[in-house]
């Protein structure tokens, strides 16, 4: 008997080389980073692993994402090819998006977002689930328990045969959220307090069924349903005041998509139809010492959205690809904060041509046009180039130039009181340069480097400002100039039984108001509020056999809370650095695979505020157990 099979060591390259080769500026979050934050919300994952800025009001409360000095409404979240930002607010609360529902998370920066949607002046976060990533039937359950009575559960069942597959996933996240913190709004000395009225419960499920009709046609049905209920704690400055406050928010949404795809030899076609339903109720009541009501707000909002899209992709010999698509969205909002039911109809169409010249040069030319309530927006063009200067080296140089337009949200236009129905769309011109490098170091390791520089000018930036009648109103008053540098590196490999993966990223962001009004008031050179000039994140993971150790760190620089140092007690929030560590073990018993993990968040017990007067937890602990059959 002759044994001719050699057992070779495996080297796993986690990064996506297509991110480097593409003329578009995109980043795919790798499997190690997703796994580390699998039972967290999307805001926590992005804060720790990407260059975007996550503005968090506290665990379980509002969390928004901003790219490159832009605002939260300039970040669009795409799911199944559709924008899931609230048509009322124009933004997404990332604390309500569970990481566990998605196995593909991709970021598009600046003008590269035009391949997905218009209006993403900063960029897009693209969420997806690929059923083809699982090749056999599995059942998986993960459970975590942590400080402050925090519990998270995720469970999934994947069933597949030759022609049909089903993926069912359920999650539940809850917490009393009653941590201890120092209230520095109490003068003259900060006082230790316990947060109250801050509990939350989020739960929901996603079901995806894929039917393979033949080798070229398939139908996919996806539904994502979720219930979010949370109490909102008072800010630090209100706790010592006499009287009481009750604030909460409850919401339910259902997002449903049916898609047909045809995959031919040279042509790919897809048609999708979707229905989104969103019900959000917000309540606030403040009382004085005699229990007399001072403020009472009961906001009830229902959004119904009908969405249809179609696209076609055609390969042109071996040198190019032609893509085109059209999308129609009808949003209908019934809110007691609007004078009547408001409707928005948006038709968006794009065409793009991708070309390549061997392995050296690739380019993409894109045009997008939008029709909003029968008003045509100017053309939104994008040009992206990617050049590989050396045949034997994985070095890629990229350039992007684009123009984009973002429509005002329905709240901007119609909120009562304060809405301004004469607002103009925000418009931007953006340009970026980047260089990517990847190389194998020996047989079992690899290194990646990326450096990017960008500049973006946004005109008619929408800002809500206080008016003469004690309520705020939006105006097109700002011209913002944002520029910066992004650096990242990754080293991965294997030495004997040791495997390692190290990632680090640094971001310099300078975003200022360059409008004439800002120059007159002397605020044109001041960094925009809640935009850190400097930020850093990193992660290091080491595996030895079935054991592993992961360490993550992220630094957020100081942030302005006002453009005038005399307007606020705290003109700037100090910088802070958070360190998290987890240790775990993977194993197998019979046919069952298991994983046990112990995690410490905020190891050094840092007292910090991400948003002014909003308490954040200090050192806390988490135990995670998972089983897969």
């Amino acid at each position: 008997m002759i044994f001719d099979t050699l057992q070779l060591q495996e080297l796993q390259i986690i990064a996506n080389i297509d991110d480097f080769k593409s003329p578009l500026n995109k980043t795919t979050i790798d499997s190690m980073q997703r796994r580390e934050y699998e039972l967290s919300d999307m805001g926590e994952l992005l804060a720790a692993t990407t260059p975007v800025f996550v503005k968090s009001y506290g665990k379980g409360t509002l969390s928004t994402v901003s790219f490159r000095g832009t605002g939260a409404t300039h970040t669009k979240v795409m799911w199944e090819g559709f924008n899931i930002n609230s048509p009322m607010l124009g933004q997404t609360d990332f604390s309500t998006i569970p990481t566990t529902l998605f196995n593909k998370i991709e970021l598009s920066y600046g003008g590269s977002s035009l391949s997905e949607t218009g209006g993403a002046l900063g960029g897009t976060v693209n969420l997806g689930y690929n059923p083809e990533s699982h090749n056999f039937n599995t059942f998986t359950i993960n459970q975590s328990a942590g400080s402050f009575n925090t519990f998270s559960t995720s469970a999934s069942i994947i069933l597949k045969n030759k022609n049909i597959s089903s993926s069912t996933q359920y999650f539940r996240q809850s917490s009393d959220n009653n941590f201890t913190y120092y209230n520095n709004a109490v003068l003259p000395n900060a006082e230790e307090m316990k947060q109250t009225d801050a509990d939350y419960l989020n739960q929901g499920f996603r079901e995806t069924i894929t039917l393979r009709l033949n080798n070229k046609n398939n139908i996919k049905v996806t539904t994502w349903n979720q219930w979010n209920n949370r109490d909102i704690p008072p800010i630090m400055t209100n706790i010592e005041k006499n009287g009481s406050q009750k604030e909460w928010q409850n919401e339910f949404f259902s997002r449903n998509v049916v898609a047909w795809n045809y995959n031919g030899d040279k042509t790919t076609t897809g048609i999708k139809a979707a229905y989104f339903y969103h019900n959000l109720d917000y309540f606030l009541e403040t009382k004085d010492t005699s229990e007399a009501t001072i403020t009472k707000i009961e906001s009830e909002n229902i959004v119904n959205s009908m969405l249809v899209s179609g696209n076609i992709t055609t390969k042109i010999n071996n040198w190019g690809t032609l893509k085109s698509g059209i999308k129609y969205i009808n949003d209908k909002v019934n809110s007691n904060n609007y004078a009547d039911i408001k409707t928005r109809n948006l038709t968006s169409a794009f065409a793009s041509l991708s070309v390549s010249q061997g392995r050296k040069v690739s380019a993409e030319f894109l045009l997008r046009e939008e029709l909003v309530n029968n008003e045509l927006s100017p053309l939104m063009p994008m040009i992206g180039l990617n050049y590989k200067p050396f045949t034997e080296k994985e070095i890629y140089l990229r350039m992007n130039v684009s123009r984009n337009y973002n429509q005002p949200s329905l709240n901007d236009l119609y909120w009562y009181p304060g809405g301004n129905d004469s607002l103009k769309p925000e418009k931007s011109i953006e340009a970026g340069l980047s260089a990517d490098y990847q190389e194998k170091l020996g047989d079992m390791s690899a290194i990646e480097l990326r450096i990017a520089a960008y500049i973006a000018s946004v005109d008619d930036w929408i800002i809500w400002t206080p008016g003469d009648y004690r309520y705020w109103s939006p105006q097109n008053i700002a011209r913002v100039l944002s520029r910066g540098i992004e650096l990242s590196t990754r080293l991965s490999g294997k030495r004997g039984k040791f495997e390692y993966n190290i990632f680090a990223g640094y971001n310099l962001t300078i975003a200022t108001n360059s409008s004439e009004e800002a120059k007159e008031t002397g605020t044109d050179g001041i960094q925009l509020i809640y935009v850190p000039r400097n930020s850093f994140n990193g992660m290091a993971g080491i595996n030895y056999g079935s054991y592993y150790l992961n360490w993550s760190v992220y630094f957020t620089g100081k942030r302005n809370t006002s453009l005038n140092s005399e307007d606020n007690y705290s003109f700037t929030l100090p910088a802070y650095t958070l360190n998290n560590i987890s240790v775990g073990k993977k194993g197998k018993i019979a046919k069952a695979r298991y994983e046990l993990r112990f995690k410490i968040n905020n190891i050094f017990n840092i007292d910090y505020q991400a948003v002014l007067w909003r308490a954040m937890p200090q050192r806390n602990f988490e135990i995670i157990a998972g089983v897969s059959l």
Side-chain angles (χ1 to χ4, degrees):
M1 183 178 295
I2 300 174
F3 295 93
D4 60 354
T5 301
L6 298 177
Q7 298 297 326
L8 300 177
Q9 288 181 305
E10 176 188 6
L11 172 62
Q12 182 182 13
I13 305 298
I14 302 179
N16 189 349
I17 188 62
D18 291 336
D19 291 344
F20 292 169
K21 294 181 178 179
S22 173
L24 305 180
N25 192 357
K26 295 187 176 184
T27 299
T28 302
I29 296 180
D30 66 47
S31 56
M32 184 189 80
Q33 294 169 325
R34 292 200 318 270
R35 188 185 69 187
E36 183 69 13
Y37 291 88
E38 185 174 13
L39 293 177
S40 302
D41 63 60
M42 193 64 61
E44 293 176 284
L45 170 68
L46 296 180
T49 62
T50 72
V52 301
F53 173 62
V54 178
K55 183 181 177 183
S56 173
Y57 287 73
K59 184 74 173 179
T61 59
L62 178 65
S63 175
T64 60
V65 166
S66 301
F67 284 73
R68 297 178 166 182
T70 58
T73 59
H74 304 143
T75 298
K76 308 301 181 185
V77 182
M78 308 299 295
W79 175 71
E80 294 295 326
F82 295 110
N83 179 4
I84 64 172
N85 283 33
S86 164
M88 296 183 66
L89 293 170
Q91 61 189 44
T92 293
D93 182 356
F94 282 77
S95 72
T96 65
I97 301 179
T99 303
T100 188
L101 295 188
F102 311 101
N103 60 13
K104 182 178 181 181
I105 304 169
E106 181 184 80
L107 277 64
S108 297
Y109 301 85
S112 298
S113 65
L114 284 170
S115 63
E116 303 286 343
T117 185
L121 309 189
T124 60
V125 178
N126 307 308
L127 307 176
Y129 171 77
N130 179 15
E132 298 303 320
S133 62
H134 304 281
N135 296 321
F136 28 86
N137 301 334
T138 60
F139 169 73
T140 303
I141 185 168
N142 295 287
Q143 177 66 53
S144 73
S147 304
F148 327 122
N149 281 328
T150 301
F151 298 94
S152 295
T153 303
S154 74
S156 68
I157 300 175
I158 299 170
L159 303 173
K160 300 187 70 172
N161 63 24
K162 182 178 179 181
N163 295 319
I164 190 169
S165 67
S166 169
S167 170
T168 306
Q169 190 143 22
Y170 166 80
F171 83 96
R172 187 181 192 274
Q173 300 170 337
S174 67
S175 178
D176 289 346
N177 209 18
N178 55 349
F179 54 83
T180 300
Y181 68 96
Y182 286 96
N183 187 345
N184 62 346
V186 179
L187 300 177
N189 298 312
E191 183 177 330
E192 186 177 77
M193 294 184 174
K194 178 173 284 191
Q195 180 166 260
T196 60
D197 300 315
D199 59 290
Y200 62 87
L201 170 60
N202 302 329
Q203 60 182 331
F205 69 92
R206 176 195 48 77
E207 170 68 32
T208 301
I209 297 176
T210 303
L211 176 63
R212 183 173 175 267
L213 302 177
N214 52 46
N215 291 334
K216 295 184 178 182
N217 292 272
N218 68 73
I219 295 174
K220 185 171 77 169
V221 180
T222 300
T223 181
W224 173 13
N225 300 269
Q226 190 166 320
W227 295 260
N228 304 314
N229 303 284
R230 63 191 180 201
D231 284 335
I232 302 174
I235 62 175
M236 294 181 183
T237 54
N238 288 347
I239 291 176
E240 289 296 290
K241 293 181 178 179
N242 295 325
S244 62
Q245 174 178 314
K246 181 63 177 176
E247 188 176 8
W248 52 259
Q249 178 177 297
N250 295 331
E251 70 175 322
F252 165 73
F253 64 75
S254 179
R255 297 165 179 155
N256 310 275
V257 180
V258 178
W260 166 74
N261 290 287
Y262 167 82
N263 297 294
D265 296 332
K266 290 188 176 182
T267 300
T268 300
T269 303
I271 297 175
K272 296 180 180 180
Y275 169 66
F276 293 173
Y277 172 84
H278 190 188
N279 185 344
L280 186 147
D281 295 333
Y282 170 81
F283 177 84
L284 170 65
E285 184 176 33
T286 57
K287 296 182 178 181
D288 61 19
T289 54
S290 64
E291 291 300 307
T293 299
I294 301 173
T295 303
K296 188 172 184 178
I297 299 174
E298 295 181 88
S299 180
E300 300 175 353
N301 312 277
I302 295 177
V303 181
N304 287 278
S305 300
M306 303 295 296
L307 313 94
V308 180
S309 72
N311 62 77
I312 184 168
T313 301
T314 302
K315 293 182 179 179
I316 306 172
N317 295 324
N318 295 320
W319 58 268
T321 302
L322 181 64
K323 300 178 183 179
S324 61
I326 188 168
K327 188 180 301 180
Y328 171 75
I329 301 172
N330 171 264
D331 293 319
K332 182 178 292 186
V333 179
N334 187 352
S335 171
N336 60 356
N337 296 108
Y338 293 173
D340 51 22
I341 295 177
K342 299 299 180 183
T343 300
R344 170 177 281 176
N345 295 288
L346 184 148
T347 302
S348 179
F350 82 94
S352 70
L353 176 64
S354 301
V355 298
S356 61
Q357 180 63 43
R359 297 183 60 204
K360 285 280 188 178
V361 179
S362 61
E364 183 157 342
F365 308 92
L366 182 147
L367 286 175
R368 181 175 287 276
E369 180 64 280
E370 290 185 344
L371 180 70
V372 182
N373 287 345
N374 297 320
E375 293 188 12
L376 201 63
S377 69
L379 276 173
M380 291 174 272
M382 189 279 300
I383 299 175
L385 300 173
N386 193 305
Y387 175 58
K388 188 175 185 292
F390 306 107
T391 303
E392 302 300 325
K393 293 289 185 180
E394 297 296 327
I395 298 176
Y396 301 89
L397 307 178
R398 183 187 298 108
M399 182 273 292
N400 292 95
V401 179
S402 63
R403 181 173 69 177
N404 209 335
Y405 289 82
N406 184 44
Q407 298 292 330
S409 71
L410 296 182
N411 279 7
D412 291 335
L413 296 171
Y414 306 121
W415 187 264
Y416 180 82
N420 180 356
D421 59 7
S422 63
L423 288 172
K424 296 180 290 184
E426 300 166 300
K427 47 185 176 290
S428 74
I429 296 177
E430 186 260 354
L433 295 171
S434 65
D436 299 290
Y437 167 70
Q438 185 181 67
E439 185 175 355
K440 291 184 65 177
L441 304 175
D443 294 331
M444 300 303 297
S445 62
I447 188 172
E448 302 161 16
L449 299 171
R450 168 174 286 187
I451 179 170
Y454 63 88
I455 184 169
S457 176
V458 182
D459 287 338
D460 294 321
W461 185 297
I462 296 173
I463 293 181
W464 285 70
T465 58
D468 297 331
Y469 299 98
R470 295 188 178 181
Y471 59 80
W472 293 54
S473 182
Q475 306 290 333
N476 292 110
I477 64 172
R479 174 179 296 166
V480 170
L481 183 64
S482 179
R483 55 276 193 206
I485 296 173
E486 298 166 346
L487 305 172
S488 66
T489 183
R490 181 188 299 277
L491 180 65
S492 59
K494 187 173 183 178
R495 290 291 182 270
K497 292 185 177 181
F498 283 96
E499 296 181 35
Y500 58 89
N501 196 293
I502 302 170
F503 166 82
Y506 166 76
N507 309 287
L508 171 66
T509 305
I510 302 173
T512 55
N513 186 342
S514 60
S515 66
E516 291 301 320
E517 181 177 345
K519 294 176 181 178
E520 292 173 1
T521 59
T523 59
D524 57 314
I526 300 177
Q527 185 86 344
L528 294 184
I529 63 173
Y530 287 111
V531 178
R533 185 179 291 257
N534 299 284
S535 61
F536 169 86
N537 54 46
M539 179 181 291
I542 300 176
N543 292 14
Y544 180 77
S546 62
Y547 297 90
Y548 63 85
L549 168 68
N550 293 326
W551 188 297
S552 64
V553 55
Y554 54 100
F555 165 83
T556 300
K558 67 178 183 179
R559 288 131 293 138
N560 292 334
T561 61
S562 168
L563 296 182
N564 187 335
S565 59
E566 298 179 356
D567 284 348
N568 203 301
Y569 165 75
S570 179
F571 172 57
T572 61
L573 283 174
Y576 61 88
T577 303
L578 300 180
N579 289 264
N580 305 322
I581 190 172
S582 66
V583 293
K585 183 184 187 307
K586 296 180 179 179
K588 187 176 182 181
I589 300 176
K591 293 183 178 181
R593 297 183 180 274
Y594 70 87
E595 181 174 356
L596 300 173
R597 187 190 316 170
F598 177 66
K599 190 173 182 180
I600 306 175
N601 300 307
N602 195 358
I603 301 170
F604 301 113
N605 210 33
I606 300 299
D607 181 50
Y608 70 101
Q609 294 176 30
V611 175
L612 185 63
W613 308 131
R614 291 289 183 180
M616 300 295 283
Q618 297 180 332
R619 184 186 301 118
N620 59 93
F621 307 91
E622 190 175 5
I623 298 175
I624 304 168
V627 177
S628 181
L629 299 172

